[in-house]
Amino acid sequence: ARWPLVERPGACCQRVLAHVWGRWQELSPAQRTALQWALLVPVGGGLVRASRVFFRLSGGFAPFMFEVPRELGGHEAVLKALGARETPSREDLNRLLSEVGRECRGAALNPNELAAVIRVVDALADSPPAADGGWEEMLVPDVGGRLVPASACFRADNPQVMARVDTSRVHLAHPALSPRACAATGVADLSRAVEERLHGQLIFCHGPIEAELTTRLRSPVFAATVAAVSRRELSAAPASAPPSTGWEARADSAAVFLSRWSVEAVRRLESRLFLGCEGETAAASGTDVTRPECREVLLFIESRTHRILLSSLAPAGITPSQVLAMAVNRLAGGRLSGGTLLLSAALSAEPEAVPAALALLGLPLGSAEGSLPADDAAAAAARGRPGAALIGADAVRVALQPLRRFAVGEVVAVRPEGRPRPGRPELVYARVLDVSPAAEAGPVSAVAASEDEEGLSRLRLLVDSGPDGPAAPGATRSMLSSDVYAFIPTADPAAAAAGSRSRLEEGSDSPSHPAAQQRSSSTAAAAARSGGGSSLPEPVGAEEAARAVSDLVRRLGLPASLEQEQLVATTLALKNRLRAAERELAGTQGLASRVDVLQERLQELCTCPITQEIMRDPVIAADGHVYERVAIQRCISSPNATSPLTRQPLGTLLTPSHAHKTLCRLYAEAVNRP
């Protein structure tokens, strides 16, 4: 909301703090507690509690934590009494996550809030553990940007497991969380949390291939191959990666380990993945999280009996040695992924031919790095990236706030350059690189005379992160703040009371709000029609834009009459209708071009190749083509009749084509219709 007083927020806050400190000894404990929860400190374009500001703050935690404004530096005593700290402690960071989780009530964070929460989690991972050694439940963002308990989240650490897990039944941590942060906050690896169990009766297919693969698996040359692959994988790993201490690191340890395993073939293998299993009989109580289409597998490792079970129903092109190489990599914890081709070659060739085969293969082929399912990963990775289209959850949570004070590094939304066209997003993400002082923004320089006062400003924005990621130099644009959309805070207290018709009204994405449910469904429908891309369902509300213009006029000291405000609102409404008409025209033109192509194709099907007219009595000749009966009969009656299209001898058999006749009749009616 706009600051309602004439006095600046900073000056007003100084007077309030001085008054509170002068009466501090007279206040009761209840009154002091109430003041500690009051929004008193003006920072970040709004008011926050004193417990959210710190005298020294490293790292960007806005919009949740801020540094004490310079003009309030003389009120250190009262700010500390109200809850301000020198630097945020581990308890402060953990308390912040809990408070944000309660404020958001299960709603997804906007891009700026999500980035701040991830930085908070990283800071928690770097901070020393609690002094009492106890464990405290923490909140972390899941893949949808919602704060959930860390114990209920899992890290997608294994692509093979992720390919089989039904992600609708598992809470996945946000991919921006590092493995170190997940380990420090209690987010478990999904591959360690699930247990694979056989399902159904096993029918063994004993044959010579089992004994041959077992012999090659236990051979010294294969153990040497495993050790060589392990060393090559380690040399390709980052320098900071710890050395491998598994059985695969040395040939002698690999030989001892593999000598205990045997290979057996079964007719069909089916297994299930259970989450939350404990004990031998946990399959009945664990949760089955397997995708129905991924229950049949190629291999299963029985650790208790040291057996590697291979399915005899492998698809064409997949050999038993390739499946066994996958099993060896799984036994090594996935640390041999880049060398499965070499392992397969060593298992396929005779022991004496293995060195020559490996020499011909050269370096091992690298395997593709695993990721989340395409729909979840794409939404999570592109969210907030400059130049990417807004996802549906963010498209309904932007607001036009021309007088807002934007911060450097803040994620905003802007319209892409150029005229709208089908398939092009209406808004894309951008990042604020620089905010020019109000004096450089144009004739409204008197609007913002101090840091904490609202006013029109000029922003330099990164609108395209470039081909090498966010750190690469990309395209920038200089825009006025009146053309930049801000993201609405998730826990805005005024959001629930907002009832505007505009899609940019605060709080409209709350699941419990009736207007939010209708807007969410329309947004999803629009995204489905555009093939998954995000676009805004309707233009900016004229009333909201008119209020923004009126605020600017009042800031300049130019009182606007009611007639002028109505004129502004009407003008903006007409501009919105014009933009909507341009978008509708672009879509109609695309549809018309497709209709023209189909009409030409239909006319070609209904036209006789001989007369070049619409057929009235189409027949199928012996060459397989359709002609007008009278025209093709004249060709057949001539000596040495040949096909008009293929120039091959043509018989006299003519078959009526009822389908073509109906098609020609319908086409003629459509063309002659006024």
Side-chain angles (χ1 to χ4, degrees):
R2 188 167 56 89
W3 181 252
L5 304 179
V6 177
E7 189 176 19
R8 294 186 299 106
C12 183
C13 178
Q14 293 184 53
R15 293 179 54 192
V16 172
L17 293 177
H19 177 77
V20 169
W21 191 240
R23 301 289 185 88
W24 185 257
Q25 300 300 328
E26 303 173 10
L27 299 177
S28 65
Q31 291 173 327
R32 293 182 181 182
T33 302
L35 286 172
Q36 291 173 350
W37 283 89
L39 305 179
L40 294 177
V41 183
V43 65
L47 296 174
V48 299
R49 298 195 302 270
S51 60
R52 294 285 181 90
V53 296
F54 300 86
F55 293 94
R56 289 186 296 108
L57 187 64
S58 60
F61 297 138
F64 297 124
M65 286 182 171
F66 305 88
E67 201 164 38
V68 174
R70 287 175 295 177
E71 58 185 348
L72 301 182
H75 299 272
E76 179 178 354
V78 63
L79 286 174
K80 286 187 175 181
L82 292 174
R85 301 285 186 272
E86 281 291 333
T87 58
S89 64
R90 182 182 181 90
E91 291 73 18
D92 294 328
L93 297 174
N94 202 5
R95 187 185 310 112
L96 172 67
L97 292 178
S98 300
E99 291 175 0
V100 173
R102 288 194 299 268
E103 292 169 358
C104 295
R105 298 186 298 274
L109 303 170
N110 71 34
N112 294 300
E113 295 169 337
L114 178 62
V117 164
I118 290 175
R119 287 192 289 268
V120 169
V121 175
D122 288 337
L124 279 171
D126 294 334
S127 63
D132 57 0
W135 175 257
E136 187 175 5
E137 181 67 41
M138 298 182 185
L139 298 179
V140 296
D142 67 359
V143 72
R146 296 173 292 272
L147 283 176
V148 297
S151 59
C153 257
F154 301 93
R155 185 173 74 92
D157 64 317
N158 189 301
Q160 286 78 24
V161 174
M162 282 300 305
R164 299 187 59 198
V165 168
D166 184 358
T167 55
S168 64
R169 309 187 68 182
V170 178
H171 260 308
L172 295 178
H174 197 278
L177 291 175
S178 64
R180 176 181 53 84
C182 290
T185 53
V187 176
D189 291 342
L190 185 60
S191 62
R192 298 178 180 271
V194 297
E195 180 181 356
E196 184 181 19
R197 290 176 176 264
L198 282 174
H199 183 78
Q201 184 179 4
L202 297 180
I203 302 178
F204 291 90
C205 305
H206 297 294
I209 187 64
E210 298 178 338
E212 182 179 356
L213 288 177
T214 300
T215 301
R216 293 180 179 178
L217 179 68
R218 298 175 177 178
S219 64
V221 68
F222 183 72
T225 303
V226 170
V229 170
S230 176
R231 289 192 298 269
R232 190 166 298 182
E233 289 292 294
L234 184 60
S235 64
S240 58
S244 176
T245 58
W247 59 266
E248 75 281 0
R250 296 176 53 185
D252 53 351
S253 60
V256 173
F257 178 85
L258 295 173
S259 65
R260 301 195 298 264
W261 291 86
S262 61
V263 181
E264 294 189 32
V266 296
R267 181 168 299 176
R268 186 173 181 270
L269 270 177
E270 184 173 325
S271 68
R272 305 287 176 87
L273 298 178
F274 290 90
L275 185 65
C277 296
E278 295 178 2
E280 293 293 330
T281 61
S285 59
T287 303
D288 185 2
V289 295
T290 316
R291 293 186 181 182
E293 66 273 16
C294 298
R295 292 174 178 172
E296 188 171 352
V297 294
L298 294 177
L299 65 96
F300 184 85
I301 298 176
E302 272 193 341
S303 302
R304 185 173 55 87
T305 59
H306 291 90
R307 293 191 305 176
I308 301 176
L309 304 180
L310 304 183
S311 173
S312 62
L313 299 179
I318 299 180
T319 63
S321 60
Q322 292 173 336
V323 180
L324 183 56
M326 295 167 54
V328 173
N329 177 49
R330 188 178 300 182
L331 287 173
R335 293 183 291 272
L336 306 176
S337 298
T340 51
L341 177 61
L342 291 173
L343 299 179
S344 174
L347 291 169
S348 301
E350 294 295 334
E352 59 271 16
V354 168
L358 297 182
L360 290 174
L361 287 175
L363 292 175
L365 298 178
S367 63
E369 183 178 355
S371 61
L372 294 173
D375 51 347
D376 292 339
R383 192 179 187 192
R385 189 180 67 228
L390 263 68
I391 65 173
D394 290 338
V396 296
R397 301 175 62 184
V398 292
L400 187 65
Q401 299 175 350
L403 303 182
R404 187 177 184 276
R405 295 288 298 177
F406 290 90
V408 174
E410 182 177 355
V411 178
V412 296
V414 297
R415 295 184 183 276
E417 293 183 295
R419 297 177 63 86
R421 59 177 182 266
R424 182 179 185 177
E426 187 170 348
L427 286 181
V428 296
Y429 294 104
R431 182 175 291 114
V432 179
L433 297 178
D434 190 24
V435 182
S436 300
E440 302 178 11
V444 291
S445 58
V447 172
S450 64
E451 291 182 357
D452 57 359
E453 191 166 2
E454 298 174 326
L456 197 66
S457 58
R458 186 179 299 279
L459 310 176
R460 188 166 65 91
L461 305 173
L462 177 66
V463 295
D464 185 5
S465 59
D468 299 326
T476 61
R477 290 171 62 185
S478 178
M479 303 180 67
L480 290 178
S481 57
S482 57
D483 297 325
V484 177
Y485 295 82
F487 289 98
I488 301 169
T490 304
D492 193 340
S500 172
R501 296 189 305 269
S502 170
R503 57 166 172 77
L504 303 178
E505 202 66 54
E506 298 182 359
S508 58
D509 60 324
S510 175
S512 60
H513 200 286
Q517 298 173 359
Q518 180 180 1
R519 182 170 305 151
S520 299
S521 61
S522 62
T523 304
R529 289 192 298 270
S530 61
S534 66
S535 61
L536 296 177
E538 54 183 348
V540 178
E543 296 180 1
E544 181 185 18
R547 285 196 301 270
V549 174
S550 299
D551 286 344
L552 286 174
V553 173
R554 292 192 185 96
R555 282 282 187 175
L556 293 172
L558 302 175
S561 64
L562 179 61
E563 180 180 359
Q564 291 173 332
E565 292 185 359
Q566 292 175 347
L567 179 61
V568 170
T570 303
T571 302
L572 292 173
L574 291 175
K575 288 184 177 180
N576 286 336
R577 292 174 58 185
L578 177 60
R579 285 194 292 268
E582 289 176 345
R583 290 193 298 270
E584 185 177 354
L585 177 60
T588 303
Q589 289 175 342
L591 179 62
S593 62
R594 291 194 295 270
V595 171
D596 290 340
V597 172
L598 293 176
Q599 185 176 356
E600 292 177 359
R601 178 56 179 160
L602 182 60
Q603 183 179 3
E604 180 183 349
L605 292 174
C606 296
T607 301
C608 175
I610 301 175
T611 64
Q612 294 299 313
E613 296 179 354
I614 302 300
M615 295 179 287
R616 297 178 177 274
D617 188 11
V619 293
I620 303 175
D623 61 355
H625 294 280
V626 181
Y627 305 92
E628 181 70 46
R629 181 186 293 272
V630 176
I632 194 62
Q633 283 179 341
R634 286 199 297 266
C635 295
I636 294 175
S637 60
S638 61
N640 301 323
T642 58
S643 168
L645 297 178
T646 65
R647 300 302 178 185
Q648 298 296 322
L650 187 64
T652 58
L653 177 63
L654 299 176
T655 305
S657 178
H658 301 289
H660 269 80
K661 188 172 185 178
T662 302
L663 187 64
C664 294
R665 178 178 57 81
L666 294 176
Y667 176 76
E669 292 176 357
V671 171
N672 297 328
R673 185 178 301 161

